[in-house]
Amino acid sequence: MASKPTKTIVEKLLDQKKIPHNSYEYGNGSAEFMDGQSVADAIGKPHQQVFKTLVCCGPKGNCVFVVPVEKELDLKKAATVSEQKYVEMINVKDILKTTGYIKGGCSPIGMKKLFPTYIDLSANNYETIIFSAGKIGKQVEMSVNDLLPLINGKLADIIKEG
């Protein structure tokens, strides 16, 4: 008898709030980190539609940025939208204690604390976006319009050009 896949905190929260979403699994259940473009390839989705969750810190505290996996966060733009002098990526060793997630499994939904969160404007190009479901090997797809109020997020121009 096949075991039923366990749902992540993110999936349970979306089910509880009756928010439509799809889930994807990749990597045969291994807990090995894969870069975002490899994840997009593994689930057969366009790189531009699959997003990564980046956690930064600045003088006013932590903030979260959600950008396409093939793009790079522009730290100057990130500082501007988060109304800080500067922001920098938090140290990898601090991700778990800050968010409750590990590198490669960080989701904008269900962090230990609701940090100011900004999703790149390019998300508007798609009916849905795909991002980590809170565990390496799992992704969730949902509407940006459903995601923004859930995380108290804002759309912003936050990626480097070119």
Side-chain angles (χ1 to χ4, degrees):
M1 188 162 116
S3 66
K4 191 177 171 189
T6 343
K7 290 192 176 197
T8 65
I9 292 168
V10 173
E11 293 168 305
K12 288 176 184 174
L13 190 96
L14 293 173
D15 286 348
Q16 179 187 9
K17 294 190 176 288
K18 296 182 177 17
I19 297 173
H21 64 281
N22 293 315
S23 296
Y24 300 95
E25 287 194 51
Y26 63 92
N28 302 325
S30 80
E32 278 189 45
F33 171 79
M34 287 171 68
D35 69 74
Q37 293 178 17
S38 299
V39 170
D41 293 340
I43 63 172
K45 295 293 182 177
H47 293 185
Q48 307 89 326
Q49 190 181 3
V50 180
F51 284 62
K52 58 189 171 187
T53 304
L54 305 171
V55 183
C56 293
C57 59
K60 292 182 179 179
N62 295 326
C63 42
V64 176
F65 300 93
V66 183
V67 299
V69 295
E70 66 178 3
K71 299 291 182 179
E72 197 176 329
L73 177 66
D74 185 316
L75 292 174
K76 285 186 177 170
K77 289 179 180 179
T80 301
V81 301
S82 63
E83 299 175 351
Q84 302 200 62
K85 248 184 185 165
Y86 65 89
V87 294
E88 58 191 15
M89 299 292 292
I90 68 167
N91 193 306
V92 173
K93 69 178 177 52
D94 295 328
I95 291 174
L96 180 61
K97 77 175 179 195
T98 303
T99 67
Y101 294 123
I102 62 169
K103 178 184 177 181
C106 197
S107 178
I109 299 172
M111 288 190 183
K112 285 183 174 183
K113 183 178 174 196
L114 189 60
F115 297 111
T117 303
Y118 306 89
I119 300 174
D120 186 65
L121 284 172
S122 64
N124 271 338
N125 298 335
Y126 301 93
E127 280 187 37
T128 58
I129 62 168
I130 301 156
F131 51 90
S132 176
K135 180 182 174 190
I136 292 176
K138 284 203 134 183
Q139 297 279 299
V140 68
E141 177 179 14
M142 64 183 291
S143 155
V144 177
N145 293 332
D146 287 337
L147 177 59
L148 287 169
L150 183 65
I151 58 172
N152 199 18
K154 295 181 175 114
L155 287 171
D157 175 17
I158 53 174
I159 56 174
K160 283 188 177 176
E161 299 302 319

